[in-house]
Amino acid sequence: MTDHTTDTPIIKVNDLKFYYPGDARALHGIDLEVQEKQVTALIGPSGCGKSTMLRCFNRMNDLIDGCRVEGEVLIEGESIYAPSTDVIELRRQVGMVFQKSNPFPKSIFENVIYGLRIAGETDRNLLAERVESSLRAAALWDEVKDRLNESALGLSGGQMQRLCIARAIAVNPKVILMDEPCSALDPKSTARVEETIKELRRDYTIVIVTHNMQQASRVSDYTAFLFEGNLIEYGQTEQLFVRPQHKQTEDYITGRFG
């Protein structure tokens, strides 16, 4: 998809282990490097640890009582699990788009600038500029530019999901995490979101969890295959799909299990 010669990792995962309450281990010593301004897909059967790993990158798992993390996650060389980490700032730098679009019951305009408002931004010109640039980046501007003061809840499912992408990028993050962002969408909306992802990777690092193998092959530069909490294989998407190194990977991507 792109020239990989200048890749530099923005996220480094070293021996990451994750335990749910009661010591149920969800991740078994994962090592991974996520390349900057590339799309990395996490694939694998349900319950393999994809979403758990994704949520380790912005500490969303902290919201579950009794969870435990071992190992380290570095973003631009900084340990995000260090005691000094400002988790609110981390989540501004590492945005999240969820499986089910979750616009707020506010206007389209207010949805996009929600994060900026929380950060105390009041400059009306800046807010208006950021709304337009974020909606353009999310391929939604032309559809909603005359409806910015209408409720976001009046949008279609696919538009809502692109609005959530616009909201994530309005605060200018470095990384955008997407947890099965198209699983609730029809094929046409899915295609729009996939096009948006391809455009966004010029400016952002994207990590996407998907159960859809074709989607992973279409939108990602790198793919990581997880199985039962282990990272089985990781590499450039084209290579992993055409010449997988492990029989388990081959069996999964050819549909023998999963």
Side-chain angles (χ1 to χ4, degrees):
M1 292 211 6
T2 49
D3 175 18
H4 296 280
T5 52
T6 58
D7 293 357
T8 46
I10 184 170
I11 304 175
K12 290 186 81 162
V13 180
N14 298 322
D15 196 26
L16 181 67
K17 301 183 180 83
F18 184 85
Y19 302 84
Y20 280 111
D23 275 356
R25 198 195 299 197
L27 298 173
H28 302 260
I30 305 277
D31 292 307
L32 183 73
E33 291 189 350
V34 175
Q35 307 299 328
E36 189 170 19
K37 293 186 182 171
Q38 305 281 329
V39 180
T40 299
L42 308 180
I43 64 168
S46 292
C48 70
K50 309 184 290 287
S51 290
T52 299
M53 183 155 98
L54 191 76
R55 286 158 182 263
C56 284
F57 296 162
N58 70 345
R59 292 186 48 174
M60 284 294 281
N61 292 319
D62 290 16
L63 303 174
I64 306 165
D65 286 341
C67 287
R68 199 156 49 84
V69 178
E70 295 174 2
E72 65 177 0
V73 177
L74 304 171
I75 297 185
E76 293 190 320
E78 300 285 323
S79 171
I80 68 168
Y81 284 94
S84 59
T85 298
D86 178 340
V87 179
I88 291 168
E89 176 61 19
L90 169 69
R91 291 184 188 143
R92 200 181 72 74
Q93 298 285 344
V94 184
M96 185 106 181
V97 176
F98 295 92
Q99 183 170 359
K100 187 174 183 328
S101 60
N102 56 343
F104 303 126
K106 298 170 179 283
S107 70
I108 292 167
F109 188 95
E110 287 297 330
N111 263 273
V112 177
I113 59 168
Y114 182 78
L116 292 166
R117 284 240 194 263
I118 287 181
E121 183 56 65
T122 55
D123 182 328
R124 292 188 66 80
N125 289 336
L126 184 141
L127 293 173
E129 283 169 17
R130 196 63 67 84
V131 166
E132 180 172 347
S133 63
S134 302
L135 287 170
R136 281 190 186 281
L140 192 56
W141 175 253
D142 289 339
E143 294 166 51
V144 302
K145 64 186 177 192
D146 301 322
R147 305 165 51 189
L148 295 178
N149 295 319
E150 293 177 23
S151 169
L153 303 181
L155 297 172
S156 71
Q159 288 173 326
M160 282 188 189
Q161 194 59 297
R162 279 180 284 143
L163 178 68
C164 292
I165 293 171
R167 190 174 67 199
I169 61 186
V171 294
N172 210 13
K174 294 188 170 84
V175 180
I176 303 172
L177 309 177
M178 298 187 173
D179 195 357
E180 304 225 11
C182 302
S183 64
L185 303 181
D186 61 82
K188 194 174 169 190
S189 298
T190 295
R192 294 298 300 270
V193 171
E194 287 184 5
E195 280 305 309
T196 304
I197 290 168
K198 290 177 190 170
E199 289 291 314
L200 289 174
R201 64 141 132 56
R202 291 192 299 216
D203 299 305
Y204 305 95
T205 303
I206 297 173
V207 186
I208 179 172
V209 165
T210 178
H211 64 277
N212 182 325
M213 226 75 62
Q214 288 75 27
Q215 183 169 72
S217 68
R218 283 193 299 263
V219 304
S220 71
D221 303 285
Y222 288 84
T223 297
F225 168 55
L226 283 87
F227 183 69
E228 293 182 350
N230 292 292
L231 179 62
I232 306 299
E233 189 165 346
Y234 176 59
Q236 292 181 15
T237 297
E238 201 175 341
Q239 193 165 346
L240 188 131
F241 277 88
V242 176
R243 290 188 301 281
Q245 305 295 302
H246 293 263
K247 185 172 188 319
Q248 214 168 6
T249 313
E250 186 180 352
D251 287 350
Y252 182 69
I253 59 182
T254 54
R256 292 199 188 104
F257 79 95

